[in-house]
């Protein structure tokens, strides 16, 4: 049946309605084409939906041709040079007690004799710490030691001057300085002397090596004075120049910092001889105790003998 046009309806309404419908259909077709993958009308948003938005995301997205290529193998880390010592059991013809320890400054690893945690009195070996403690504390207070005080410190290290050592020790609070040694250098075996004196401080060879590392890395004397102290320890002379570094070739000795201790303990009727050495990559502690009648040189030579027995053969 033919639709009747209303009186108020324009004569051209039907063509307009058809045109409107056609426009809507065309728009729908175009939108469909924009959403269809691969279409030339595909929208950028649809094409990149789920794709990485930037360089950082693209790096973690699906592998590209570049990422699928084999990457070059990293260069192997070179093995560090071995220490000049070999860890081994010693069976030496030495009368009395002896013990040794070596610390690798690069790794912190410590090796030594089975009794490396046993202690002996330090005698003059502890002077390296007393001078370090004096220098560090002065710097912490913003003070610079006078030339006279530095000259005193030189005499303590190079010549093992006892009078100047006692003066430094008293100014540092006596046994309080040794307590700082135990905490600053993280020692585990050692203790303050029962009489409070510096000479009877008890260290083990293991803690002696640790104290050497503490001096070498700057904890003992502080960043300002560590180089100065190590240089003084390389210049030890006279009766105090014996032991560990004497076991090395002459050309190497000048680079090894040392501080030794030697004393006759009449109460115990023993000689106590102790050796500390600091090399470029290592520190070492050696201690010997034996009957007092055998004299100083017996222990000094045996400190060197123990070191020689542990050195790697040279090629």
């Amino acid at each position: 049946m033919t639709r009747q046009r209303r009186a108020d309806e324009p004569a051209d309404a039907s063509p307009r309605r058809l045109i409107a419908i056609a426009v809507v259909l065309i728009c729908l077709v175009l939108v469909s084409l924009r959403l269809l993958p691969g279409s030339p009308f595909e929208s950028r948003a649809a094409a990149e939906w789920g794709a990485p938005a930037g360089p950082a995301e693209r790096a973690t997205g699906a592998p590209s041709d570049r990422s699928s290529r084999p990457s070059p193998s990293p260069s192997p880390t070179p093995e560090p040079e071995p220490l000049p010592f070999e860890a081994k059991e010693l069976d030496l013809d030495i009368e009395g007690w002896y013990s040794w320890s070596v610390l690798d400054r690069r790794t912190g690893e410590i090796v030594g004799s089975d009794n490396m945690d046993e202690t002996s009195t330090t005698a003059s070996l502890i002077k390296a710490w007393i001078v370090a403690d004096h220098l560090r504390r002065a710097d912490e207070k913003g003070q610079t030691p006078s030339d006279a005080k530095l000259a005193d410190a030189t005499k303590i290290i190079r010549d093992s001057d006892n009078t100047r050592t006692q003066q430094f020790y008293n100014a540092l609070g006596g046994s309080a300085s040794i307590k700082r040694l135990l905490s600053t250098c993280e020692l585990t075996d050692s203790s303050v002397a029962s009489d409070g004196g510096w000479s009877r401080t008890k260290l083990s060879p293991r803690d002696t090596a640790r104290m050497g590392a503490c001096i070498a890395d700057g904890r003992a004397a502080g960043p300002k004075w560590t180089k100065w102290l190590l240089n003084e320890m390389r210049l030890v002379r006279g009766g105090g120049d014996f032991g560990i570094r004497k076991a090395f070739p002459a050309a190497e000795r000048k680079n090894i910092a040392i501080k030794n201790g030697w004393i006759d303990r009449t109460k115990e009727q023993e000689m106590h001889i102790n050796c500390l050495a600091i090399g470029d990559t290592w520190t070492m502690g050696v201690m010997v105790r034996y009957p007092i009648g055998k004299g100083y040189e017996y222990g000094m030579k045996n400190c060197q003998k123990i070191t020689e027995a542990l050195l790697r053969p040279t090629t």
Side-chain angles (χ1 to χ4, degrees):
M1 185 174 74
T2 305
R3 187 175 75 87
Q4 295 295 318
R5 181 170 60 86
R6 296 197 311 269
D8 58 347
E9 185 178 10
D12 60 347
S14 294
R16 289 181 180 176
R17 186 179 294 113
L18 292 174
I19 292 170
I21 292 171
V23 168
V24 170
L25 290 175
I26 291 170
C27 290
L28 289 174
V29 170
L30 291 175
V31 169
S32 300
L33 289 173
R34 284 171 61 82
L35 294 175
L36 184 65
S39 167
F41 299 99
E42 179 185 3
S43 74
R44 182 174 180 81
E48 294 184 356
W49 186 31
E57 291 185 27
R58 285 197 291 272
T60 59
S64 64
D65 289 342
R66 180 181 300 175
S67 63
S68 64
R69 299 172 189 164
S71 56
S73 301
S75 301
T77 303
E79 288 292 327
E81 287 291 323
L83 296 183
F85 308 97
E86 291 182 308
K88 56 186 175 182
E89 292 185 10
L90 300 181
D91 184 14
L92 304 175
D93 184 20
I94 296 176
E95 186 173 348
W97 172 92
Y98 65 91
S99 180
W100 64 273
S101 182
V102 172
L103 181 148
D104 188 332
R105 289 176 53 193
R106 301 163 299 184
T107 65
E109 181 183 4
I110 301 175
V111 298
S113 55
D114 291 340
N115 60 350
M116 66 178 175
D117 60 339
E118 296 180 13
T119 62
S120 193
T121 65
T122 61
S124 293
L125 182 147
I126 201 66
K127 293 173 181 176
W129 165 259
I130 293 172
V131 169
D133 197 29
H134 172 81
L135 295 171
R136 187 194 70 260
R137 285 171 64 80
D139 189 49
E140 288 172 348
K141 296 174 184 176
Q143 301 171 352
T144 299
S146 65
D147 290 344
K149 280 296 182 184
L150 289 177
D152 286 343
T154 290
K155 291 290 289 182
I156 292 171
I157 298 297
R158 297 190 196 184
D159 302 315
S160 210
D161 186 286
N162 288 332
T163 301
R164 290 175 171 85
T165 300
Q166 190 64 48
Q167 292 170 351
F168 273 44
Y169 189 65
N170 292 341
L172 290 167
S175 60
S177 177
I178 305 305
K179 291 177 182 178
R180 286 192 291 273
L181 162 65
L182 303 183
S183 60
T184 301
C185 299
E186 301 179 5
L187 308 189
T188 60
D189 313 320
S190 306
S191 61
V192 177
S194 58
D195 64 0
W198 53 266
S199 177
R200 281 192 174 271
T201 300
K202 290 187 176 181
L203 285 188
S204 66
R206 178 166 64 181
D207 278 352
T208 299
R210 285 171 172 157
M211 187 179 85
C214 189
I215 292 171
D217 66 22
R219 284 175 290 159
K224 182 175 181 179
W225 292 103
T226 294
K227 183 177 180 180
W228 184 92
L229 177 57
L230 287 171
N231 185 63
E232 291 299 310
M233 293 174 69
R234 293 185 186 103
L235 298 174
V236 168
R237 57 199 175 192
D241 185 10
F242 64 85
I244 296 171
R245 77 174 174 189
K246 291 288 188 180
F248 285 80
E252 298 180 32
R253 294 175 194 169
K254 63 182 180 180
N255 296 320
I256 299 175
I258 65 168
K259 193 73 190 90
N260 298 319
W262 62 104
I263 194 168
D264 52 339
R265 297 290 185 199
T266 55
K267 180 181 178 181
E268 294 90 347
Q269 285 295 291
E270 292 177 337
M271 299 294 301
H272 291 194
I273 310 295
N274 312 300
C275 298
L276 163 67
I278 302 172
D280 290 340
T281 57
W282 55 270
T283 64
M284 185 177 191
V286 178
M287 292 181 157
V288 297
R289 277 197 315 264
Y290 53 91
I292 197 169
K294 299 190 77 67
Y296 290 108
E297 286 194 7
Y298 183 76
M300 293 173 175
K301 289 179 179 178
N302 281 328
C303 190
Q304 178 178 340
K305 182 178 181 179
I306 291 167
T307 307
E308 288 172 342
L310 295 166
L311 286 177
R312 293 181 183 276
T314 55
T315 55

